[in-house]
Amino acid sequence: MEDDGLVFRKVVAKWFIRKNDESYGCELCSEINIPEDANNVKQRKGTGYTNIRSHLVSRHHGWKERYLSEENSETGNDKQCLSNYFNILVSAKARNVFGWMNFIVTKHLSFSIVDDKSFRNAVKFDPLCTNTLMKYLEFVADEVRSLIAVNISQRFGLIFDGWSDGYGSHLVAVFATFHDIKNKRKRFLLAIAPLLDETAFTAQNHIDFIIATLGSYNRSREAIEFIVCDNCSTNIKIAQDLGVPMVGCSSHRLKLEQYDGEIQ
Ligand SMILES: [Zn+2]
């Protein structure tokens, strides 16, 4: 873990004393009365901290937590402590990939922008190609799906709507909505993706898409309590075929109600 860089240097400065060009003495060992000749850690000058790290891991269980808590009480700075914690426990590679993902997703940039040389030069992250970015985005999506799967109730309402870009792409967004055990309203985005069969926007194609979406959260059509969607004939057919109540155009009706109130 050569990636901890400067922060690990601070750990060494805190608990290790250089005895000579070949080795350090460990203060943590002294604390637990390990004799001085046994707490020598061989680490030749200029060769990094690999042996010191191994020594901490093998002999001083919980050293990271102790370091961070002591740092925190010394600086009184939670944010700094969190940042140290992040830097020590998360590899440089993971931090780099996270940096790219966070930047691209929150700024609505295209995934392929990571391949653009000018763009790479303008950001502080190490270069990354689209394939790598996509690989890690998919890992994150899997993790998020697993988290949602354990946090949604057994039955819920589905809110969905479609959107066409005018160039042949049609995306459907599906949300699950329910009240949790504390009666707090929850809503999770389950999918925003093209239909599995994009040749026709039929009720059956939508149902196949919905069932496949639920499958990735370990749920089946029995999980659907009701659907909320536009009042079009396809959606009415979807509700009929699924055998669930449909709340149609509720946002549209709310808007009309608002206009009505304004006119009066
Ligand atoms: Zn030690």
Side-chain angles (χ1 to χ4, degrees):
M1 287 177 67
E2 68 291 343
D3 42 62
D4 285 356
L6 279 174
V7 176
F8 198 74
R9 220 165 284 165
K10 284 192 195 172
V11 176
V12 175
K14 184 177 174 73
W15 287 325
F16 291 84
I17 298 163
R18 181 162 278 293
K19 289 186 167 174
N20 50 49
D21 285 354
E22 297 293 322
S23 62
Y24 283 89
C26 173
E27 291 198 339
L28 293 176
C29 280
S30 314
E31 276 182 16
I32 50 177
N33 295 326
I34 290 177
E36 203 178 327
D37 53 340
N39 73 34
N40 254 352
V41 185
K42 282 208 157 119
Q43 186 78 68
R44 195 179 302 160
K45 222 170 186 175
T47 58
Y49 305 112
T50 317
N51 294 349
I52 289 181
R53 184 186 293 279
S54 305
H55 174 88
L56 283 169
V57 170
S58 64
R59 201 177 278 184
H60 303 293
H61 180 70
W63 68 271
K64 279 179 196 166
E65 290 74 11
R66 175 174 165 179
Y67 173 77
L68 292 168
S69 96
E70 288 182 8
E71 274 286 286
N72 189 27
S73 60
E74 279 165 21
T75 60
N77 184 338
D78 286 348
K79 210 171 165 187
Q80 183 61 39
C81 176
L82 199 65
S83 159
N84 288 347
Y85 196 74
F86 188 68
N87 287 337
I88 283 190
L89 298 186
V90 181
S91 74
K93 184 181 174 190
R95 276 181 270 141
N96 192 55
V97 174
F98 173 77
W100 275 110
M101 285 197 293
N102 188 42
F103 187 42
I104 283 167
V105 171
T106 56
K107 297 298 171 194
H108 308 290
L109 300 167
S110 69
F111 299 141
S112 61
I113 204 152
V114 295
D115 294 327
D116 184 285
K117 278 188 181 161
S118 313
F119 195 80
R120 281 182 179 183
N121 290 337
V123 298
K124 65 171 186 173
F125 310 124
D126 295 335
L128 197 73
C129 69
T130 312
N131 286 346
T132 308
L133 177 72
M134 295 310 295
K135 182 174 92 176
Y136 287 105
L137 276 171
E138 279 163 21
F139 285 155
V140 170
D142 285 343
E143 285 295 318
V144 172
R145 264 192 289 271
S146 307
L147 274 176
I148 292 177
V150 295
N151 282 291
I152 46 174
S153 57
Q154 286 306 310
R155 303 197 74 218
F156 42 78
L158 277 188
I159 304 170
F160 64 87
D161 202 0
W163 173 80
S164 296
D165 68 357
Y167 300 97
S169 282
H170 183 77
L171 299 173
V172 179
V174 182
F175 292 86
T177 182
F178 57 94
H179 284 88
D180 68 9
I181 47 169
K182 291 178 182 162
N183 208 27
K184 219 171 156 192
R185 189 161 55 85
K186 294 278 181 183
R187 185 180 296 164
F188 289 104
L189 175 64
L190 303 183
I192 177 161
L195 293 177
L196 304 175
D197 177 356
E198 292 186 89
T199 55
F201 304 146
T202 61
Q204 190 55 50
N205 280 354
H206 279 81
I207 290 173
D208 290 345
F209 174 78
I210 289 168
I211 302 301
T213 298
L214 293 180
S216 49
Y217 299 92
N218 306 320
R219 300 293 192 281
S220 63
R221 62 197 294 154
E222 281 69 42
I224 308 170
E225 266 189 305
F226 58 88
I227 59 172
V228 181
C229 48
D230 287 346
N231 237 346
C232 66
S233 57
T234 306
N235 290 346
I236 293 169
K237 178 89 166 65
I238 292 170
Q240 284 169 350
D241 291 354
L242 287 172
V244 295
M246 168 181 148
V247 183
C249 289
S250 53
S251 52
H252 182 57
R253 280 189 276 124
L254 272 173
K255 194 79 183 164
L256 288 177
E257 186 79 9
Q258 182 199 347
Y259 286 145
D260 203 28
E262 280 169 7
I263 291 163
Q264 282 170 3

